[in-house]
Structure formats: structure tokens, C-alpha cells
Amino acid sequence: MTAVSKVAIAGSGVAGLAAAIQLAKAGVEVDVYEAKPELSALGSGISLQGNALRVFDALGAWDDIRAAGYPFEGLHLRAPGPDAPIVAQLPDVKTGGPDYPAAMGMPRAELARILLDHAQRAGAHVHFGKKISGVDARADDAVEVFVDDESAGEYDLLIGADGLNSTVRELIGIQTKPEPTGMGIWRTFVSRPAEVERSELYYGGPVFIAGYTPTGEDSMYAFLVEKAQDRFGTPDDEATRIMLEESRAYQGPWDSIRADLEAGAHANYTWFTKHLVEEPWNRGRVVIIGDAAHSCPPTIAQGAAQGLEDALVLTELLASRERVEQDLWDEFHARRLPRAKSIVDASVQLGQWQLDGVRDADVPGLMFGVARQMSEPA
């Protein structure tokens, strides 16, 4: 017997769909409400560490995800300049344990498609073009959910997995919101040169970081991290021009990336953000997880992994209890808040070192320290 029998989830991102999969597999009636008219996969590619892969296995989706992505071991650091020499070859810590690759890249659209397919096959009902607009959580054992200003009925629990600008977070009166960190990132999705077999980062030059991650046999995503600027709404041709110009100090595989940009590859721009909702993440029978509860710069590639872990821990507790009581929330927060805080703090620290121009910063030490923490199950 589970602590809930009927659950509503706001958002069809990785955290929301992971929660939907696990609850539906446990026999819970699940409704996922997504405000967008169709499955969204903003951005180009995604980097996934071993602890995220471990969650995918628990969901039953690992085989499909592994087949759609590009697993790899290790990380190379290169220097800017004509030859783009490799200056360090860093082994990755297997944060998912020995049964999983250290890391993997894949197209965001493929990840979203696979998780949606698994959620629907498990029995979850996914409603696109439906926005949760209100909640009435006055009852101790239920929450009434309003979708597009009309009642969708009562649920045992509402999970707000609706991202950075979470409506559910606002509806339950949590004031914490994402704040810019001072960095912005250009991303593009391009073909993979044969020499790119793992993530590679270039530190120094005209931007803070230039890098790329393979996402498939024929694809990878590339990025440039700069000081945050008002780039939003930049026309496509101007966005491509900016990314081309900012990348000219970087050679090696960047020559191939520029060729794809010149041939029409799209460039998109976002800012890095940070926030952490202090305990509790729930207000009665409404709880937020994933980017609704915490966000961090992608400097150590843990954003999606932490949302997945939120979903896994929450659904594990709901499936193992008979009632939703305070001890459930106490255990959930004890397991998730310190871990999420360590990720947010480390990710922000790494970016701040770069903003401050700290040349003797122990970047590998910080990354390995976090990786060792993530090696322990959530």
C-alpha cells in the first residue's frame, strides 16, 4: 500500500516525468499537467553524470537512454591557441557506481521523448497545453487542483516540478526565486568530429569556458560561457555571428564547430541562475522538486541529476509508507536538502572563481570533491 493513490504533477521535465514513472509503476493514479502544447526540450544537449544514470536504471529507462546517448569516461582540459593542446586528462569519478559510465551526453529531445514514453507506458496520464493555475490545500489529506482556472478535482498530493519559474512554488507562497550568477552561456548543436570522445573544456581566452560534449555517434553540443549580457531576443543570424567571433581563439575541434555554425547551426543564449528553497519544500499536500526547489550553474553538470534524485527519493518514501505524515517530509528534507545545497554551493563557487579571475583556484579538487559526495546514493 502506498501513502497516496492519486497524484497531480506540474511539469513534464525530467523530475516530473521521473516522479510520474515511479508512482504509476506503484499503482498510483497520476496526472501530469504541462503548460506547453507539446513536449519541450529547450537547449541542445545535456551532460549526465553517473548518479543520474543510476536513477534512470531505477526508473527502468536506462537501456533506452544508453542506446540514445554517448557514454564516456574522463575529462580533457585544453588550452586556447592555435594547437589547442590538451593540458590535463582528468579521470571521472563514477558517481553512479561501477555499473554505469562516468558520464554521458545525449540530445535533450531524445531524453524527454524516452521519459515521456516510459511514463505513459507505466500508466501516467500526460496532459499538454494544461496549466495548473490554483490550489486549495485547506484539507489535511487532500489538495484541490485547478487547471486553466477550472477545478480538476482533489488529489492526495500535488508535485510541483514546473521548473525555474515555477507556478506551483508561487501558489504555495514560497518567495525564493532564481537569481542570475553573472554568467551567460551560448549553446549550439553540431556534428561530432571523430576526435571528440568525451567532454573537453578550454579555460582562458576571451570567454570563461569553451567546451563541448558528445551526444551521439554523429552529434555533440558546444558552448561558450561569458559574462552575462542582455543577449535575449538576439536575431538568429546575429546569435550565430557572436558565437563564431567569441570562439575564434579556440582551435582543435572548434574548427569543425565553426564550420557547422557557418552552415546554419542555431545558437541559443541563457543566463546561469542559482537558488535554494530552504526547508520545507512542501506546504501541506503540495511539494516542489527539481528546478522549482533549487537551481545552479551547469559547471559540474548536476542540475538534472539533482532533480532526478529529488523525484526518486520522494516517490520511494511515498511508496513505502501508508500515510503522508510529518516524518515522511522530515526524512525527505534530511536526504535532499543538504545534498542539493552542496551542489548549488559548489557550482556557484566554481563560477565565482572565474568571475573573480582567481588563477590558482583548485577547480579539479572542487569537482572531484563533489563527485565523491555524489557517489553515495541519494
Side-chain angles (χ1 to χ4, degrees), residues 18-335:
I21 291 168
Q22 292 299 85
L23 290 172
K25 283 164 53 179
V28 175
E29 181 181 345
V30 178
D31 284 305
V32 178
Y33 295 103
E34 170 55 58
K36 296 183 178 68
E38 59 186 6
L39 193 65
S40 175
L42 293 177
S44 48
I46 186 169
S47 293
L48 300 160
Q49 301 297 323
N51 58 319
L53 309 184
R54 180 171 57 203
V55 175
F56 293 142
D57 201 3
L59 301 180
W62 170 228
D63 287 344
D64 291 338
I65 288 171
R66 177 173 49 193
Y70 191 97
F72 57 87
E73 307 286 339
L75 170 70
H76 284 176
L77 303 183
R78 290 183 184 248
D83 299 323
I86 294 173
V87 295
Q89 300 182 42
L90 306 178
D92 277 337
V93 177
K94 285 181 172 286
T95 57
D99 297 332
Y100 308 99
M104 190 174 76
M106 70 182 302
R108 283 182 179 268
E110 277 296 284
L111 177 59
R113 179 192 62 78
I114 291 168
L115 292 179
L116 175 63
D117 180 57
H118 278 265
Q120 291 176 324
R121 280 196 277 146
H125 307 286
V126 183
H127 311 273
F128 289 102
K130 298 292 183 180
K131 182 178 181 178
I132 290 180
S133 56
V135 296
D136 185 345
R138 287 177 294 180
D140 292 336
D141 59 353
V143 55
E144 185 176 9
V145 175
F146 293 83
V147 177
D148 295 332
D149 299 323
E150 294 185 1
S151 177
E154 288 192 344
Y155 291 86
D156 300 321
L157 183 70
L158 167 61
I159 300 173
D162 49 345
L164 287 176
N165 301 309
S166 170
T167 297
V168 173
R169 183 179 65 220
E170 182 178 352
L171 288 172
I172 60 176
I174 295 176
Q175 301 299 315
T176 306
K177 294 181 179 180
E179 301 174 355
T181 68
M183 286 181 162
I185 184 169
W186 289 101
R187 292 184 174 98
T188 188
F189 197 56
V190 294
S191 58
R192 182 183 71 88
E195 64 184 295
V196 175
E197 297 179 334
R198 58 189 53 82
S199 286
E200 297 187 333
L201 303 177
Y202 301 59
Y203 286 95
V207 299
F208 295 118
I209 308 172
Y212 38 79
T213 292
T215 56
E217 289 301 319
D218 302 312
S219 67
M220 71 177 186
Y221 81 96
F223 52 89
L224 300 170
V225 179
E226 63 173 21
K227 187 174 182 179
Q229 302 180 52
D230 186 4
R231 305 281 205 185
F232 302 104
T234 302
D236 287 352
D237 57 346
E238 177 65 6
T240 299
R241 185 196 67 77
I242 293 171
M243 195 163 185
L244 279 167
E245 291 304 315
E246 289 193 346
S247 71
R248 293 201 186 279
Y250 309 102
Q251 305 301 315
W254 273 99
D255 294 335
S256 173
I257 296 167
R258 278 189 291 275
D260 281 8
L261 284 166
E262 289 168 346
H266 178 70
N268 65 74
Y269 188 75
T270 56
W271 280 359
F272 288 175
T273 66
K274 62 176 181 179
H275 82 289
L276 177 69
V277 174
E278 297 295 339
E279 186 178 346
W281 293 353
N282 75 298
R283 299 293 186 272
R285 291 299 184 104
V286 183
V287 63
I288 56 172
I289 63 172
D291 285 349
H294 46 79
S295 68
C296 58
T299 45
I300 52 178
Q302 275 289 317
Q306 292 309 298
L308 287 164
E309 288 186 354
D310 289 348
L312 189 66
V313 171
L314 177 61
T315 56
E316 173 195 311
L317 293 172
L318 291 169
S320 64
R321 307 293 179 91
E322 293 187 357
R323 290 178 296 276
V324 179
E325 296 181 332
Q326 188 58 43
D327 65 327
L328 183 151
W329 297 121
D330 290 343
E331 183 173 347
F332 175 65
H333 291 114
R335 291 173 63 180

